[in-house]
Amino acid sequence: MASHNMTWISYPSKNLAFTSPEEIEAFIASQNIISRLMHCYIAFFVPTGFIAGICVLIVFIKNYLQHKAIENLDLLLLHFTISNIIMIFLSFTVIPRPDYLKATHLACNVLSFFFNFSYFNSQYVFILTLLILLLKRFPARTALSKATQRPILCVGFVLVYAFCLSLAEALLVGTDNYHLETYCQLDPLFAWPEYEIIKFTFGFGIPSFLQILCFAVLCTKAAPAGAPAFHQHIRTYPAAYVLSITTLTCRLFYNVMILFRTTLKLQRSIGTPQNEFVMNIAEIVLFCESCASLVFILCFHKPCK
C-alpha cells in the first residue's frame, strides 16, 4: 500500500528550486505559453465547439420531429455530441492555468467522475458507430449484427459500462482527506497509479485497438457483390472517419502523458516543470479535440450539412 500513500506528491511548479537564471527564464516562458494556449482555447475553440454542438443537436431533434424516427448512426452521433458538450463544460477547469483550480478532494473526485464518464462514453459510442458502418459494408447475420440494429440498447450498454469504469476510477483516486483543499485537475494528480493505468487501458488502449481493427477489416476484406466501392463508402460517411483520425491522434498524445505521469508516481518522483508543462498542453489538446469533433460532425455529416 506504499504506492497508495500519495501525500508526498505535488506539482513541480509549486516546489520551485531553481539554481540558475536560465531555469527561471525557461519556467516563466513555459507558464506564458500555457496561459496563452488557455486563452486561445477559451476564446476560439470553446465558442466554436458550443455553436457547432448546439447546431448538431438542433438538426437531429428537428429530423426526429419531422420523421418520428432517428437513424442508428444519427442516434450514436447524437450521444457522442452530448458527451463532448459535457466535456467542454468541464474543460472550464483550465481557466486558472498556469495555476490550478482549488477544491476539496471530494469535489475534485466528483469532477473527475463526470469527466471520465463523458470520456469513456464518447470513446465507446464512437466504436459502436464504426462497427455499424462496418456492418453496412459487410452485412452479417450474427448476434452482433442484430444487436446493432437496436441502437438504444447499445447506448444503454455503453452508459452502464462507462458508469462502472468511472466509478472504478473514482475509487482509485483515493479515499483519504476528502475534506482537505487541494489543487485539482480533472485527472487528479493525487490519484493512485492504478488510476492512470486503468484509464490508459480502457480509455485508450482497447478503443484504439478496436478502431484499428475496424479500419483493417474495412481496407483488407473484399466487399460482397453489390456493395459500394471503398472510396464511395468513405465519401458516404466522411464524418466518422475524420473523427476517428482526430480522436486517435489527440488522445494518443494525452494518454502517453498520462502513462508517463504514472511512471513518475511509481518512482516517487514529482517530475520537472517541463513534465508538468507538457501534461498541461496534452490536457488542452484533448479539450480542443472535443470542440473540433463537433465542428467535423456539423461540416461532414450529411444531415447536418
Side-chain angles (χ1 to χ4, degrees), residues 12 18 23 26-27 30 257 271-280:
F18 298 124
E23 290 182 349
F27 175 75
S30 66
M257 292 311 302
T272 65
Q274 287 74 26
N275 300 145
E276 182 182 355
F277 167 69
V278 178
M279 184 68 218
N280 280 322

Side-chain angles (χ1 to χ4, degrees), residues 130-171:
L130 291 179
L131 182 60
I132 285 179
L133 294 182
L134 192 66
L135 290 173
K136 281 180 179 289
R137 183 163 171 78
F138 304 104
R141 294 186 177 182
T142 62
L144 183 61
S145 179
K146 292 178 181 178
T148 56
Q149 297 304 313
R150 304 175 65 184
I152 295 178
L153 181 65
C154 294
V155 168
F157 174 78
V158 169
L159 287 171
V160 172
Y161 184 61
F163 177 83
C164 293
L165 286 175
S166 303
L167 187 61
E169 290 286 75
L171 295 175

Side-chain angles (χ1 to χ4, degrees), residues 54-298:
I54 291 169
C55 289
V56 170
L57 291 179
I58 290 172
V59 169
F60 284 145
I61 292 171
K62 184 179 178 181
N63 287 346
Y64 175 77
L65 293 176
Q66 286 180 346
H67 305 291
K68 301 301 180 184
I70 186 168
E71 291 188 8
N72 296 355
L73 181 61
D74 288 353
L75 179 62
L76 295 179
L77 287 178
L78 174 63
H79 187 76
F80 181 80
T81 298
I82 294 171
S83 295
N84 278 282
I85 290 175
I86 294 172
M87 285 185 67
I88 295 173
F89 273 115
L90 292 171
S91 73
F92 287 140
T93 55
V94 304
I95 289 176
R97 300 297 163 82
D99 204 353
Y100 296 92
L101 177 71
K102 284 191 176 181
T104 63
H105 282 67
L106 177 60
C108 193
N109 201 351
V110 171
L111 286 172
S112 176
F113 172 83
F114 285 109
F115 170 63
N116 285 322
F117 186 60
S118 300
Y119 181 85
F120 290 128
N121 250 325
S122 62
Q123 279 284 46
Y124 285 96
V125 81
F126 188 69
I127 296 300
L128 276 177
T129 303
L130 291 179
L131 182 60
I132 285 179
L133 294 182
L134 192 66
L135 290 173
K136 281 180 179 289
R137 183 163 171 78
F138 304 104
R141 294 186 177 182
T142 62
L144 183 61
S145 179
K146 292 178 181 178
T148 56
Q149 297 304 313
R150 304 175 65 184
I152 295 178
L153 181 65
C154 294
V155 168
F157 174 78
V158 169
L159 287 171
V160 172
Y161 184 61
F163 177 83
C164 293
L165 286 175
S166 303
L167 187 61
E169 290 286 75
L171 295 175
L172 292 173
V173 170
T175 56
D176 299 328
N177 305 319
Y178 271 170
H179 62 288
L180 298 180
E181 194 174 68
T182 184
Y183 294 109
C184 180
Q185 274 184 292
L186 292 177
D187 284 311
L189 181 68
F190 54 84
W192 297 349
E194 290 87 347
Y195 174 95
E196 283 97 356
I197 294 171
I198 293 295
K199 183 153 189 175
F200 179 86
T201 303
F202 291 94
F204 181 75
I206 294 175
S208 298
F209 171 76
L210 294 175
Q211 279 191 48
I212 294 170
L213 184 63
C214 285
F215 271 108
V217 173
L218 185 68
C219 296
T220 59
K221 186 176 179 180
F230 174 73
H231 66 276
Q232 186 178 351
H233 175 79
I234 297 294
R235 288 177 181 175
T236 306
Y237 308 103
Y241 299 109
V242 172
L243 288 175
S244 185
I245 296 170
T246 306
T247 56
L248 190 64
T249 305
C250 295
R251 297 193 179 195
L252 173 63
F253 177 37
Y254 179 73
N255 279 273
V256 166
M257 292 311 302
I258 281 286
L259 208 57
F260 179 72
R261 194 168 76 172
T262 308
T263 62
L264 292 176
K265 288 181 180 180
L266 294 175
Q267 297 168 1
R268 296 186 70 83
S269 168
I270 65 171
T272 65
Q274 287 74 26
N275 300 145
E276 182 182 355
F277 167 69
V278 178
M279 184 68 218
N280 280 322
I281 291 178
E283 188 177 29
I284 294 174
V285 167
L286 177 69
F287 294 136
C288 289
E289 177 263 317
S290 295
C291 299
S293 294
L294 298 177
V295 175
F296 291 147
I297 293 174
L298 183 64

